[in-house]
């Protein structure tokens, strides 16, 4: 008697979970950009704020969400699969 076969769905589940953890770690551990430096142009209604995008956090969250979607898809596929 052999154990369960490793299918591409199992691989996708584990890769999705690992990707979710890696993305979460990147998003949480990255240093936040300090705020407070604002420059206003005189006589206009436009405010210029420099350097407000924290790209490592944005990329970390994107990777974590992508991994969660892949893991959820794979878990759903595994939950409805027929037993042999």
């Amino acid at each position: 008697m052999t154990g369960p076969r490793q299918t591409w769905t199992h691989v996708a589940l584990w890769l999705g979970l690992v990707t979710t953890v890696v993305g979460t770690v990147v998003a949480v551990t990255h240093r936040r950009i300090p705020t407070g430096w604002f420059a206003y142009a005189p006589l206009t209604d436009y405010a210029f704020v420099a350097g407000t995008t924290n790209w490592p956090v944005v990329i970390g969250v994107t990777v974590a969400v992508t991994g969660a979607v892949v893991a959820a898809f794979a878990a759903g596929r595994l939950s409805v699969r027929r037993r042999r």
Side-chain angles (χ1 to χ4, degrees):
M1 196 171 212
T2 61
R5 281 188 334 173
Q6 239 1 36
T7 62
W8 70 269
T9 308
H10 287 96
V11 173
L13 174 67
W14 286 109
L15 285 177
L17 291 174
V18 168
T19 304
T20 301
V21 170
V22 168
T24 302
V25 167
V26 168
V28 170
T29 60
H30 194 271
R31 191 176 58 129
R32 304 288 186 240
I33 295 175
T35 58
W37 292 92
F38 301 99
Y40 296 96
L43 303 174
T44 65
D45 292 330
Y46 177 77
F48 175 73
V49 182
T52 57
T53 304
N54 198 354
W55 286 111
V57 173
V58 171
I59 292 171
V61 169
T62 303
V63 168
V65 168
T66 303
V69 168
V70 168
F73 176 76
R77 249 181 88 80
L78 288 172
S79 71
V80 297
R81 203 168 70 170
R82 285 187 189 175
R83 306 277 182 213
R84 291 185 182 187

Coordinates of all heavy atoms in Angstrom, one line a residue:
M1 N 0.8 -1.2 0.0 CA 0.0 0.0 0.0 C 0.9 1.3 0.0 O 1.8 1.4 0.8 CB -0.9 0.0 1.2 CG -2.0 0.9 1.2 SD -3.1 0.5 2.6 CE -4.6 0.9 1.8
T2 N 0.6 2.1 -0.9 CA 1.4 3.3 -1.0 C 0.7 4.5 -0.5 O -0.5 4.5 -0.3 CB 1.8 3.6 -2.5 OG1 0.7 3.8 -3.2 CG2 2.7 2.5 -3.0
G3 N 1.4 5.6 -0.1 CA 0.8 6.8 0.4 C 0.2 7.6 -0.7 O 0.1 7.2 -1.9
P4 N -0.4 8.8 -0.4 CA -1.1 9.6 -1.4 C -0.1 10.1 -2.4 O 1.1 10.4 -2.1 CB -1.7 10.8 -0.6 CG -1.0 10.8 0.7 CD -0.5 9.4 0.9
R5 N -0.5 10.2 -3.7 CA 0.3 10.7 -4.7 C 0.5 12.2 -4.6 O -0.4 12.9 -4.2 CB -0.3 10.4 -6.1 CG -0.1 9.0 -6.5 CD -0.5 8.9 -8.0 NE -1.6 9.9 -8.3 CZ -2.0 10.0 -9.5 NH1 -1.6 9.2 -10.5 NH2 -2.9 10.9 -9.8
Q6 N 1.7 12.7 -5.0 CA 1.9 14.1 -5.0 C 1.5 14.6 -6.4 O 2.1 14.3 -7.4 CB 3.4 14.4 -4.9 CG 4.0 15.2 -3.8 CD 3.2 15.8 -2.7 OE1 2.2 15.3 -2.2 NE2 3.7 17.0 -2.3
T7 N 0.4 15.4 -6.4 CA 0.0 15.9 -7.7 C 0.4 17.4 -7.8 O 0.9 18.0 -6.9 CB -1.6 15.8 -7.8 OG1 -2.2 16.6 -6.8 CG2 -2.0 14.4 -7.7
W8 N 0.1 18.0 -9.0 CA 0.4 19.4 -9.1 C -0.4 20.2 -8.2 O 0.0 21.3 -7.8 CB 0.2 19.8 -10.6 CG -1.2 19.8 -11.0 CD1 -1.9 18.8 -11.6 CD2 -2.1 21.0 -10.9 NE1 -3.2 19.2 -11.9 CE2 -3.3 20.5 -11.5 CE3 -2.0 22.3 -10.5 CZ2 -4.4 21.4 -11.5 CZ3 -3.1 23.1 -10.5 CH2 -4.3 22.6 -11.0
T9 N -1.6 19.7 -7.8 CA -2.4 20.5 -6.9 C -1.8 20.6 -5.5 O -1.8 21.6 -4.8 CB -3.8 19.9 -6.8 OG1 -4.3 19.7 -8.1 CG2 -4.8 20.7 -6.0
H10 N -1.2 19.5 -5.1 CA -0.5 19.5 -3.8 C 0.7 20.5 -3.8 O 1.0 21.3 -2.9 CB 0.1 18.1 -3.4 CG -1.0 17.2 -3.0 ND1 -1.6 16.3 -3.9 CD2 -1.6 17.0 -1.8 CE1 -2.5 15.6 -3.2 NE2 -2.5 16.0 -2.0
V11 N 1.4 20.5 -4.9 CA 2.6 21.4 -5.1 C 2.1 22.8 -5.1 O 2.7 23.7 -4.5 CB 3.3 21.0 -6.4 CG1 4.4 22.0 -6.7 CG2 3.9 19.6 -6.3
A12 N 1.0 23.1 -5.8 CA 0.5 24.5 -5.8 C 0.0 24.9 -4.4 O 0.2 26.1 -4.1 CB -0.7 24.5 -6.8
L13 N -0.6 24.0 -3.7 CA -1.0 24.3 -2.3 C 0.2 24.7 -1.5 O 0.2 25.8 -0.8 CB -1.7 23.1 -1.7 CG -2.1 23.3 -0.2 CD1 -3.2 24.4 -0.1 CD2 -2.6 22.0 0.4
W14 N 1.2 23.9 -1.5 CA 2.4 24.2 -0.6 C 3.1 25.5 -1.1 O 3.6 26.3 -0.3 CB 3.3 23.0 -0.6 CG 2.7 22.0 0.3 CD1 2.2 20.8 0.0 CD2 2.6 22.1 1.7 NE1 1.7 20.1 1.1 CE2 1.9 20.9 2.2 CE3 2.9 23.1 2.7 CZ2 1.6 20.7 3.5 CZ3 2.6 22.8 4.0 CH2 1.9 21.6 4.4
L15 N 3.2 25.6 -2.5 CA 3.9 26.9 -3.0 C 3.1 28.1 -2.6 O 3.6 29.2 -2.3 CB 4.1 26.7 -4.5 CG 5.2 25.8 -4.9 CD1 5.3 25.8 -6.5 CD2 6.6 26.3 -4.4
G16 N 1.8 28.0 -2.7 CA 0.9 29.1 -2.3 C 1.1 29.5 -0.9 O 1.1 30.7 -0.5
L17 N 1.1 28.5 0.0 CA 1.3 28.8 1.4 C 2.7 29.4 1.7 O 2.8 30.4 2.5 CB 1.1 27.5 2.2 CG -0.3 26.9 2.3 CD1 -0.3 25.5 3.0 CD2 -1.2 27.9 3.0
V18 N 3.7 28.9 1.1 CA 5.1 29.4 1.3 C 5.1 30.9 0.7 O 5.7 31.8 1.4 CB 6.1 28.5 0.6 CG1 7.5 29.2 0.5 CG2 6.2 27.2 1.4
T19 N 4.5 31.1 -0.4 CA 4.5 32.5 -1.0 C 3.7 33.4 -0.1 O 4.1 34.6 0.1 CB 3.8 32.4 -2.4 OG1 4.5 31.5 -3.2 CG2 3.9 33.8 -3.1
T20 N 2.6 33.0 0.5 CA 1.9 33.8 1.4 C 2.7 34.2 2.6 O 2.7 35.4 3.0 CB 0.6 33.1 1.9 OG1 -0.2 32.8 0.7 CG2 -0.2 34.0 2.8
V21 N 3.4 33.2 3.2 CA 4.3 33.5 4.4 C 5.4 34.5 4.0 O 5.7 35.5 4.7 CB 4.8 32.2 4.9 CG1 5.9 32.5 6.0 CG2 3.7 31.4 5.5
V22 N 6.1 34.3 2.8 CA 7.2 35.1 2.4 C 6.7 36.6 2.2 O 7.3 37.5 2.6 CB 7.9 34.6 1.2 CG1 8.8 35.6 0.5 CG2 8.6 33.3 1.5
G23 N 5.5 36.7 1.5 CA 5.0 38.0 1.2 C 4.6 38.8 2.5 O 4.8 40.0 2.7
T24 N 4.0 38.0 3.5 CA 3.7 38.6 4.8 C 4.9 39.1 5.5 O 4.9 40.2 6.1 CB 2.9 37.6 5.6 OG1 1.7 37.2 4.8 CG2 2.5 38.2 6.9
V25 N 6.0 38.2 5.5 CA 7.2 38.6 6.2 C 7.8 39.9 5.6 O 8.3 40.8 6.3 CB 8.2 37.4 6.2 CG1 9.6 37.9 6.7 CG2 7.7 36.3 7.1
V26 N 7.8 39.9 4.3 CA 8.4 41.1 3.6 C 7.6 42.3 3.9 O 8.1 43.4 4.2 CB 8.5 40.9 2.1 CG1 8.7 42.2 1.3 CG2 9.5 39.8 1.7
A27 N 6.3 42.3 3.9 CA 5.4 43.4 4.2 C 5.5 43.9 5.6 O 5.5 45.1 5.9 CB 4.0 43.1 3.8
V28 N 5.6 43.0 6.5 CA 5.6 43.3 8.0 C 7.0 43.8 8.4 O 7.0 44.8 9.2 CB 5.1 42.1 8.8 CG1 5.3 42.4 10.3 CG2 3.7 41.8 8.5
T29 N 8.0 43.2 8.0 CA 9.4 43.5 8.5 C 10.0 44.7 7.8 O 11.1 45.2 8.3 CB 10.3 42.3 8.4 OG1 10.4 42.0 7.0 CG2 9.8 41.2 9.2
H30 N 9.5 45.2 6.7 CA 10.2 46.3 6.0 C 10.0 47.6 6.8 O 8.9 47.9 7.4 CB 9.7 46.5 4.6 CG 10.5 47.3 3.8 ND1 10.4 48.7 3.7 CD2 11.6 47.1 3.0 CE1 11.3 49.2 2.9 NE2 12.1 48.2 2.5
R31 N 11.0 48.4 6.8 CA 11.0 49.7 7.5 C 10.0 50.6 6.8 O 10.0 50.8 5.6 CB 12.4 50.3 7.5 CG 12.5 51.5 8.4 CD 14.0 51.9 8.4 NE 14.3 52.3 7.0 CZ 14.9 53.4 6.7 NH1 15.3 54.3 7.6 NH2 15.2 53.6 5.4
R32 N 9.2 51.3 7.6 CA 8.2 52.2 7.1 C 8.8 53.6 6.8 O 9.8 54.0 7.4 CB 7.1 52.5 8.1 CG 6.4 51.2 8.6 CD 5.5 50.7 7.5 NE 4.7 49.6 8.0 CZ 4.8 48.4 7.6 NH1 5.6 48.1 6.6 NH2 4.0 47.4 8.0
I33 N 8.3 54.2 5.7 CA 8.8 55.5 5.3 C 8.2 56.6 6.3 O 7.0 56.6 6.5 CB 8.4 55.8 3.9 CG1 9.1 54.8 2.9 CG2 8.8 57.3 3.5 CD1 8.6 55.0 1.5
P34 N 9.1 57.4 6.9 CA 8.6 58.4 7.8 C 7.8 59.5 7.0 O 8.2 59.8 5.8 CB 9.8 59.0 8.4 CG 11.0 58.7 7.5 CD 10.6 57.4 6.8
T35 N 6.8 60.0 7.5 CA 6.0 61.0 6.9 C 6.2 62.3 7.6 O 6.7 62.4 8.7 CB 4.5 60.6 6.8 OG1 4.1 60.4 8.2 CG2 4.3 59.4 6.0
G36 N 5.8 63.4 7.0 CA 5.9 64.7 7.6 C 6.5 65.8 6.8 O 6.4 66.9 7.1
W37 N 7.1 65.4 5.7 CA 7.8 66.4 4.8 C 6.8 66.7 3.7 O 6.5 65.9 2.8 CB 9.1 65.9 4.2 CG 10.1 65.7 5.3 CD1 10.4 64.7 6.0 CD2 11.0 66.8 5.7 NE1 11.4 64.9 6.9 CE2 11.8 66.2 6.7 CE3 11.2 68.1 5.4 CZ2 12.8 66.9 7.4 CZ3 12.2 68.8 6.0 CH2 12.9 68.3 7.0
F38 N 6.2 67.9 3.7 CA 5.3 68.3 2.7 C 5.8 69.6 2.0 O 6.3 70.5 2.7 CB 3.9 68.5 3.3 CG 3.3 67.3 4.0 CD1 3.4 67.2 5.3 CD2 2.8 66.3 3.2 CE1 2.9 66.0 5.9 CE2 2.3 65.2 3.8 CZ 2.3 65.1 5.2
A39 N 5.6 69.7 0.7 CA 5.9 70.9 0.0 C 4.7 71.4 -0.7 O 4.0 70.7 -1.4 CB 7.0 70.6 -1.0
Y40 N 4.4 72.7 -0.5 CA 3.3 73.3 -1.1 C 3.7 74.4 -2.1 O 4.6 75.2 -1.8 CB 2.4 74.0 -0.1 CG 1.8 73.0 0.9 CD1 2.3 72.7 2.1 CD2 0.6 72.2 0.5 CE1 1.8 71.8 2.9 CE2 0.1 71.3 1.4 CZ 0.7 71.1 2.6 OH 0.1 70.1 3.4
A41 N 3.2 74.3 -3.3 CA 3.5 75.4 -4.3 C 2.7 76.6 -4.0 O 1.5 76.5 -3.7 CB 3.1 74.9 -5.7
P42 N 3.3 77.8 -4.0 CA 2.6 79.0 -3.7 C 1.5 79.3 -4.7 O 1.7 79.1 -5.9 CB 3.7 80.1 -3.6 CG 4.8 79.5 -4.4 CD 4.7 78.0 -4.3
L43 N 0.4 79.8 -4.3 CA -0.7 80.3 -5.1 C -1.3 79.2 -6.0 O -1.8 79.5 -7.1 CB -0.2 81.5 -6.0 CG 0.4 82.7 -5.3 CD1 0.9 83.7 -6.2 CD2 -0.6 83.3 -4.3
T44 N -1.2 78.0 -5.6 CA -1.9 76.9 -6.3 C -2.6 76.0 -5.3 O -2.3 76.1 -4.1 CB -0.9 76.0 -7.1 OG1 0.0 75.4 -6.2 CG2 -0.1 76.8 -8.1
D45 N -3.5 75.2 -5.8 CA -4.2 74.3 -5.0 C -3.6 72.9 -5.0 O -4.2 71.9 -4.6 CB -5.7 74.2 -5.4 CG -6.4 75.4 -5.1 OD1 -6.0 76.2 -4.2 OD2 -7.3 75.8 -5.9
Y46 N -2.4 72.7 -5.5 CA -1.7 71.5 -5.6 C -0.7 71.2 -4.5 O 0.1 72.1 -4.3 CB -1.1 71.4 -7.0 CG -0.3 70.1 -7.2 CD1 -1.0 68.9 -7.5 CD2 1.1 70.1 -7.1 CE1 -0.3 67.8 -7.7 CE2 1.8 68.9 -7.3 CZ 1.1 67.7 -7.6 OH 1.8 66.6 -7.8
A47 N -0.8 70.1 -3.8 CA 0.2 69.8 -2.8 C 1.1 68.6 -3.3 O 0.6 67.6 -3.8 CB -0.5 69.3 -1.5
F48 N 2.4 68.8 -3.3 CA 3.3 67.8 -3.7 C 3.9 67.1 -2.5 O 4.4 67.7 -1.6 CB 4.4 68.4 -4.5 CG 5.5 67.4 -4.9 CD1 5.3 66.5 -5.9 CD2 6.7 67.4 -4.3 CE1 6.2 65.6 -6.3 CE2 7.7 66.5 -4.6 CZ 7.5 65.6 -5.6
V49 N 3.7 65.7 -2.5 CA 4.2 64.9 -1.4 C 5.2 63.9 -2.0 O 4.8 63.1 -2.8 CB 3.1 64.2 -0.6 CG1 3.7 63.4 0.5 CG2 2.1 65.1 -0.2
A50 N 6.5 64.1 -1.7 CA 7.5 63.3 -2.3 C 7.8 61.9 -1.5 O 7.7 61.9 -0.3 CB 8.8 64.0 -2.3
G51 N 8.0 60.9 -2.2 CA 8.4 59.6 -1.6 C 7.4 59.0 -0.7 O 7.7 58.5 0.3
T52 N 6.1 58.9 -1.1 CA 5.1 58.3 -0.2 C 4.8 56.9 -0.5 O 4.1 56.2 0.2 CB 3.8 59.1 -0.3 OG1 3.4 59.1 -1.6 CG2 4.0 60.5 0.2
T53 N 5.4 56.3 -1.6 CA 5.1 54.9 -2.0 C 6.2 54.0 -1.4 O 7.4 54.2 -1.6 CB 5.1 54.7 -3.5 OG1 4.1 55.6 -4.0 CG2 4.7 53.3 -3.9
N54 N 5.7 53.1 -0.5 CA 6.7 52.1 0.1 C 6.6 50.8 -0.7 O 5.8 49.9 -0.4 CB 6.2 51.9 1.5 CG 7.3 51.3 2.4 OD1 8.4 51.0 1.8 ND2 7.1 51.2 3.6
W55 N 7.4 50.7 -1.8 CA 7.3 49.6 -2.7 C 7.5 48.3 -2.1 O 6.8 47.3 -2.5 CB 8.2 49.9 -3.9 CG 7.7 51.0 -4.8 CD1 8.2 52.2 -5.0 CD2 6.5 50.9 -5.6 NE1 7.4 52.9 -5.8 CE2 6.4 52.1 -6.2 CE3 5.6 49.9 -5.8 CZ2 5.3 52.4 -7.1 CZ3 4.5 50.2 -6.7 CH2 4.4 51.4 -7.3
P56 N 8.4 48.1 -1.2 CA 8.6 46.7 -0.7 C 7.3 46.2 0.1 O 7.0 45.1 0.0 CB 9.7 46.8 0.3 CG 10.6 47.9 -0.2 CD 9.6 48.9 -0.8
V57 N 6.6 47.1 0.7 CA 5.4 46.8 1.4 C 4.3 46.4 0.4 O 3.6 45.4 0.5 CB 4.9 47.9 2.4 CG1 3.5 47.6 2.9 CG2 5.9 48.1 3.5
V58 N 4.2 47.2 -0.7 CA 3.2 47.0 -1.7 C 3.5 45.6 -2.4 O 2.6 44.8 -2.6 CB 3.2 48.1 -2.8 CG1 2.4 47.8 -4.0 CG2 2.8 49.4 -2.1
I59 N 4.7 45.4 -2.7 CA 5.1 44.1 -3.4 C 4.9 42.9 -2.4 O 4.3 41.9 -2.8 CB 6.5 44.2 -3.9 CG1 6.6 45.2 -5.0 CG2 7.0 42.8 -4.3 CD1 8.0 45.5 -5.5
G60 N 5.2 43.1 -1.2 CA 5.0 42.0 -0.2 C 3.5 41.7 0.0 O 3.2 40.5 0.0
V61 N 2.7 42.7 0.0 CA 1.2 42.4 0.1 C 0.7 41.8 -1.1 O -0.1 40.8 -1.1 CB 0.5 43.7 0.4 CG1 -1.0 43.6 0.3 CG2 0.8 44.2 1.8
T62 N 1.2 42.2 -2.3 CA 0.7 41.6 -3.5 C 1.2 40.1 -3.6 O 0.4 39.3 -4.0 CB 1.3 42.4 -4.7 OG1 1.0 43.8 -4.6 CG2 0.9 41.8 -6.1
V63 N 2.4 39.8 -3.2 CA 2.8 38.4 -3.2 C 2.0 37.6 -2.3 O 1.7 36.5 -2.6 CB 4.4 38.4 -2.9 CG1 4.8 37.0 -2.6 CG2 5.2 39.0 -4.1
A64 N 1.8 38.1 -1.1 CA 1.0 37.4 -0.1 C -0.4 37.1 -0.5 O -0.9 36.0 -0.4 CB 1.0 38.2 1.2
V65 N -1.1 38.1 -1.2 CA -2.4 37.9 -1.7 C -2.4 36.9 -2.8 O -3.3 36.0 -2.9 CB -3.1 39.2 -2.1 CG1 -4.3 39.0 -2.9 CG2 -3.3 40.1 -0.9
T66 N -1.4 37.0 -3.7 CA -1.4 36.0 -4.8 C -1.2 34.6 -4.3 O -1.8 33.6 -4.7 CB -0.2 36.4 -5.8 OG1 -0.4 37.7 -6.2 CG2 -0.1 35.4 -6.9
G67 N -0.3 34.4 -3.3 CA -0.1 33.1 -2.7 C -1.3 32.6 -2.0 O -1.6 31.4 -2.1
A68 N -2.1 33.5 -1.3 CA -3.3 33.0 -0.7 C -4.3 32.6 -1.7 O -5.1 31.6 -1.5 CB -3.8 34.2 0.2
V69 N -4.4 33.3 -2.8 CA -5.4 32.9 -3.9 C -5.0 31.5 -4.4 O -5.9 30.7 -4.6 CB -5.5 34.0 -5.0 CG1 -6.2 33.5 -6.2 CG2 -6.1 35.2 -4.4
V70 N -3.7 31.3 -4.7 CA -3.3 30.0 -5.3 C -3.5 28.9 -4.3 O -4.0 27.8 -4.6 CB -1.8 30.1 -5.7 CG1 -1.2 28.7 -6.0 CG2 -1.6 31.0 -6.8
A71 N -3.2 29.1 -3.0 CA -3.4 28.1 -1.9 C -4.9 27.8 -1.8 O -5.3 26.7 -1.6 CB -2.8 28.6 -0.6
A72 N -5.8 28.8 -1.8 CA -7.2 28.6 -1.7 C -7.8 27.8 -2.9 O -8.6 26.9 -2.7 CB -7.9 30.0 -1.6
F73 N -7.3 28.1 -4.1 CA -7.7 27.4 -5.2 C -7.3 25.9 -5.1 O -8.1 25.0 -5.4 CB -7.1 28.0 -6.5 CG -7.4 27.2 -7.8 CD1 -8.7 27.3 -8.3 CD2 -6.5 26.4 -8.4 CE1 -9.0 26.6 -9.5 CE2 -6.8 25.7 -9.5 CZ -8.0 25.8 -10.1
A74 N -6.1 25.7 -4.7 CA -5.6 24.3 -4.6 C -6.3 23.6 -3.5 O -6.7 22.4 -3.6 CB -4.1 24.3 -4.3
A75 N -6.6 24.2 -2.4 CA -7.3 23.6 -1.3 C -8.7 23.3 -1.7 O -9.3 22.2 -1.3 CB -7.3 24.5 0.0
G76 N -9.3 24.1 -2.4 CA -10.7 23.9 -2.9 C -10.7 22.7 -3.9 O -11.6 21.8 -3.8
R77 N -9.7 22.6 -4.7 CA -9.6 21.4 -5.7 C -9.4 20.1 -4.9 O -10.0 19.1 -5.2 CB -8.4 21.6 -6.6 CG -8.9 21.9 -8.0 CD -7.6 22.0 -8.9 NE -7.1 20.8 -9.4 CZ -7.7 20.2 -10.5 NH1 -8.7 20.7 -11.1 NH2 -7.2 19.1 -10.9
L78 N -8.6 20.2 -3.9 CA -8.3 19.0 -3.1 C -9.5 18.6 -2.3 O -9.7 17.4 -2.0 CB -7.1 19.2 -2.2 CG -5.7 19.2 -2.9 CD1 -4.6 19.6 -1.9 CD2 -5.4 17.9 -3.6
S79 N -10.3 19.5 -1.8 CA -11.4 19.2 -1.0 C -12.6 18.5 -1.7 O -13.4 17.8 -1.1 CB -12.0 20.4 -0.3 OG -12.6 21.3 -1.2
V80 N -12.7 18.7 -3.0 CA -13.8 18.1 -3.8 C -13.3 16.9 -4.7 O -14.1 16.4 -5.4 CB -14.5 19.1 -4.7 CG1 -15.1 20.2 -3.9 CG2 -13.5 19.7 -5.7
R81 N -12.1 16.5 -4.5 CA -11.5 15.4 -5.3 C -12.1 14.1 -4.8 O -12.3 13.9 -3.6 CB -10.0 15.4 -5.2 CG -9.3 14.7 -6.3 CD -7.9 15.0 -6.3 NE -7.3 14.3 -5.2 CZ -6.0 14.2 -5.0 NH1 -5.2 14.8 -5.9 NH2 -5.5 13.5 -4.0
R82 N -12.3 13.2 -5.7 CA -12.8 11.8 -5.4 C -11.7 11.0 -4.7 O -10.5 11.1 -5.0 CB -13.2 11.1 -6.6 CG -14.4 11.5 -7.2 CD -14.8 10.6 -8.3 NE -15.9 11.1 -9.0 CZ -16.4 10.6 -10.1 NH1 -15.8 9.5 -10.6 NH2 -17.4 11.1 -10.7
R83 N -12.1 10.2 -3.7 CA -11.2 9.3 -3.0 C -11.1 8.0 -3.9 O -12.0 7.6 -4.4 CB -11.7 9.0 -1.6 CG -12.0 10.2 -0.8 CD -10.8 10.7 -0.2 NE -11.1 11.8 0.7 CZ -10.3 12.8 0.9 NH1 -9.2 12.9 0.3 NH2 -10.7 13.8 1.7
R84 N -9.9 7.5 -3.9 CA -9.7 6.2 -4.7 C -9.5 5.1 -3.7 O -9.0 5.1 -2.7 CB -8.4 6.4 -5.6 CG -8.7 7.3 -6.7 CD -7.5 7.4 -7.6 NE -7.8 8.4 -8.6 CZ -7.0 8.5 -9.6 NH1 -6.0 7.8 -9.8 NH2 -7.3 9.4 -10.5

